[in-house]
Amino acid sequence: MIDIKLIRDNPQNFRKSMKGRITEKEVEEILKIDAERKEKLKKIEELRAKQKKAQVTEARKIKDERRKLEEEFKKIDEKWQKLLSEVPNIPDEDVPSGDAEKNVVVTEVGEVEEKESLPHWEIGKILDILDFETASKISQSFFPMLKGDGARLEFALMNFFLEENEKYGFEPVCVPYLVNEGSVFGTGQLPKFKDELYHIEKDNLYLIPTGEVPAGNFFKDKILNEKDLPLRFQIPTPCFRREAGSWGKLGKGLIRNHQFHKVEIFSFTKPEDSNRELEQMVKVVSEILKKLALPHRIILLSSLDMGFSASKTYDIEIWMNGLKRWVEVSSISNCRDFQTRRTKTRFKTKEGLKFPHSLNGSSLAVGRVFAGILENYWDKENAQVNVPDCLKKFIKKDRIERG
């Protein structure tokens, strides 16, 4: 949530700092409602003071007038809250201004070897470890089903990610997969992206789109101790996304599904430490991909390509040898105090209460890394996928072949 003072004090400077994430018309609408809200509040306070000094008969009239104004204020305040809740975070100064074309490749790790391979869904069919047809009959399109060594590889990856993340101090937490409306609002998925979420109307609960949602609410309405920061967590979960309006982009295979596994890493830090924490989280993911020997690149996203709550985001993409293109497997963001303001998460300092900064990242999206391993480790001659060395102790196999 944006601090309204940033808009009030210098609206033109605020709009400029947003780098295209908000229009002049939207800023004007917020200021208009804000002015109306302040005026109503001022009149209510004046009537309250007047009521205290008035005689009984006059006091009743003033009370009735005040109640009418309070009803009007409530409606204006709700509109004010809604407008502010739909304003995205302010991009950092070093974030490029513009759309995805302005994204910057920061570094590339490993060499791309364009050897002969197949798309992962074809490899999965040959090895009989992926079954989208049965999954579609059980559910609907774009839900995966993994069988035999496919399921073993999936869990091997999750266990490997958990083990590696823990080396960097990320404490594992198992969380609810259904969360309430306040939790989804707190991390910024509501109200703007309601159509992307699976909603159970009877209970007014939402299936989590990412482990970021429960993690971001771990300390909702709580006050932390400064000495306890940073707090680092890793959250292994299934994720559920409707991908409304994205059917043309879904394609085949495991790249964009309605359900997938992910290990999320999440940090709460002191404000002065969040820049360093972001770089560290990027390093954590990159080191995992190095151990998997998957060529990857780190990309700084532009202002219009970042998520709603992010002030700065790095995407990490791996090379898919069968698809012959780069595919995102991780997105790591510094949200600064945007989410902690929404969840009212604070920490004690000598100067008083402050909002910690929150950061989140995929470490990693399991299905996409699974797909990358199939395509990059495919051995056409022997019709098998060679298992990366770092996964052998988890899957207890050197190769995946048709049984």
Side-chain angles (χ1 to χ4, degrees):
M1 184 81 80
I2 295 295
D3 185 348
I4 185 61
K5 291 178 183 177
L6 295 172
I7 307 176
R8 281 179 191 155
D9 293 347
N10 195 330
Q12 290 306 316
N13 187 58
F14 174 77
R15 191 172 71 84
K16 186 179 179 181
S17 70
M18 289 294 284
K19 299 183 180 182
R21 301 189 94 186
I22 194 168
T23 66
E24 188 170 350
K25 185 177 179 181
E26 287 170 323
V27 172
E28 288 173 357
E29 177 68 6
I30 291 169
L31 290 172
K32 178 187 172 187
I33 296 299
D34 184 55
E36 290 179 16
R37 179 181 177 275
K38 283 173 70 178
E39 184 61 27
K40 291 285 183 192
L41 192 58
K42 182 183 175 184
K43 287 181 179 178
I44 289 167
E45 293 301 325
E46 287 172 354
L47 285 174
R48 220 176 248 135
K50 191 176 177 182
Q51 186 182 338
K52 287 178 182 178
K53 298 175 182 178
Q55 298 295 325
V56 177
T57 305
E58 187 185 3
R60 285 175 182 167
K61 290 180 181 178
I62 295 171
K63 185 179 180 181
D64 291 340
E65 187 181 350
R66 177 171 62 81
R67 282 181 174 173
K68 184 182 176 183
L69 275 175
E70 285 172 343
E71 285 297 315
E72 292 173 2
F73 174 80
K74 185 180 177 183
K75 290 178 182 177
I76 290 172
D77 186 60
E78 286 173 356
K79 189 172 182 180
W80 181 81
Q81 292 280 359
K82 184 177 184 297
L83 285 172
L84 279 181
S85 71
E86 292 178 349
V87 177
N89 204 351
I90 303 169
D92 282 5
E93 286 185 11
D94 60 343
V95 169
S97 181
D99 57 20
E101 292 183 358
K102 300 295 183 180
N103 291 350
V104 177
V105 177
V106 176
T107 187
E108 293 191 15
V109 181
E111 293 186 11
V112 171
E113 296 181 26
E114 293 197 37
K115 60 182 180 181
E116 190 175 348
S117 188
L118 295 169
H120 62 276
W121 58 85
E122 292 185 19
I123 295 171
K125 193 166 186 177
I126 291 169
L127 300 179
D128 194 29
I129 60 173
L130 289 176
D131 188 349
F132 290 100
E133 290 79 9
T134 301
S136 294
K137 289 177 183 177
I138 294 170
S139 181
Q140 64 178 40
S141 298
F142 305 111
F143 281 86
M145 190 166 98
L146 313 177
K147 306 190 309 189
D149 283 344
R152 293 184 188 97
L153 177 59
E154 180 91 350
F155 291 119
L157 284 167
M158 290 185 75
N159 285 323
F160 174 57
F161 298 161
L162 287 164
E163 183 176 271
E164 292 300 304
N165 291 332
E166 194 153 13
K167 292 176 183 177
Y168 292 91
F170 289 93
E171 185 75 10
V173 184
C174 290
V175 298
Y177 302 155
L178 287 163
V179 294
N180 59 42
E181 191 170 304
S183 294
V184 194
F185 174 85
T187 47
Q189 282 77 18
L190 283 180
K192 202 161 188 178
F193 302 104
K194 191 170 184 177
D195 290 344
E196 298 294 321
L197 304 170
Y198 281 103
H199 182 216
I200 299 172
E201 291 187 14
K202 185 176 179 180
D203 302 297
N204 195 26
L205 292 173
Y206 293 84
L207 282 164
I208 58 170
T210 165
E212 173 194 350
V213 174
N217 288 275
F218 282 169
F219 304 106
K220 182 178 181 180
D221 297 321
K222 292 185 178 180
I223 297 173
L224 303 169
N225 290 316
E226 186 175 17
K227 64 180 178 61
D228 294 331
L229 298 174
L231 288 164
R232 299 186 178 105
F233 304 98
Q234 56 172 326
I235 308 95
T237 69
C239 303
F240 304 91
R241 300 183 186 179
R242 291 188 65 241
E243 302 287 0
S246 300
W247 294 103
K249 299 177 183 177
L250 288 171
K252 293 183 178 181
L254 297 167
I255 303 305
R256 195 180 290 271
N257 287 173
H258 291 311
Q259 175 188 311
F260 57 94
H261 284 114
K262 182 153 70 83
V263 178
E264 186 80 0
I265 51 177
F266 199 101
S267 296
F268 293 95
T269 74
K270 290 186 282 188
E272 61 268 26
D273 295 336
S274 67
N275 286 338
R276 184 168 61 250
E277 186 76 4
L278 178 64
E279 300 302 322
Q280 175 73 353
M281 290 169 79
V282 171
K283 180 184 175 184
V284 170
V285 176
S286 183
E287 289 299 317
I288 289 174
L289 294 174
K290 284 179 187 177
K291 289 186 178 181
L292 288 168
L294 291 174
H296 58 282
R297 63 183 188 179
I298 299 166
I299 299 170
L300 175 62
L301 297 192
S302 63
S303 59
L304 299 182
D305 202 29
M306 293 193 301
F308 179 80
S309 299
S311 65
K312 184 175 183 178
T313 298
Y314 290 105
D315 272 5
I316 300 182
E317 300 177 339
I318 62 170
W319 176 254
M320 302 285 284
N321 212 29
L323 296 178
K324 297 291 185 276
R325 64 183 176 93
W326 295 96
V327 170
E328 177 213 324
V329 292
S330 176
S331 190
I332 306 163
S333 299
N334 188 349
C335 297
R336 301 204 177 271
D337 63 358
F338 187 84
Q339 293 177 326
T340 53
R341 283 180 179 276
R342 293 167 84 100
T343 60
K344 295 182 175 63
T345 300
R346 292 156 292 170
F347 72 100
K348 289 180 182 177
T349 72
K350 291 178 181 178
E351 297 79 31
L353 295 178
K354 292 183 180 179
F355 292 101
H357 284 186
S358 67
L359 302 95
N360 65 82
S362 313
S363 186
L364 283 142
V366 182
R368 293 186 178 192
V369 177
F370 180 113
I373 287 171
L374 294 195
E375 295 192 12
N376 291 316
Y377 281 87
W378 173 241
D379 180 348
K380 180 186 176 185
E381 186 177 341
N382 296 302
Q384 66 186 33
V385 169
N386 298 315
V387 174
D389 290 340
C390 60
L391 296 180
K392 288 176 181 176
K393 72 172 184 176
F394 298 103
I395 198 170
K396 296 180 171 54
K397 290 191 175 194
D398 293 330
R399 60 189 178 273
I400 297 173
E401 54 193 349
R402 191 178 181 98

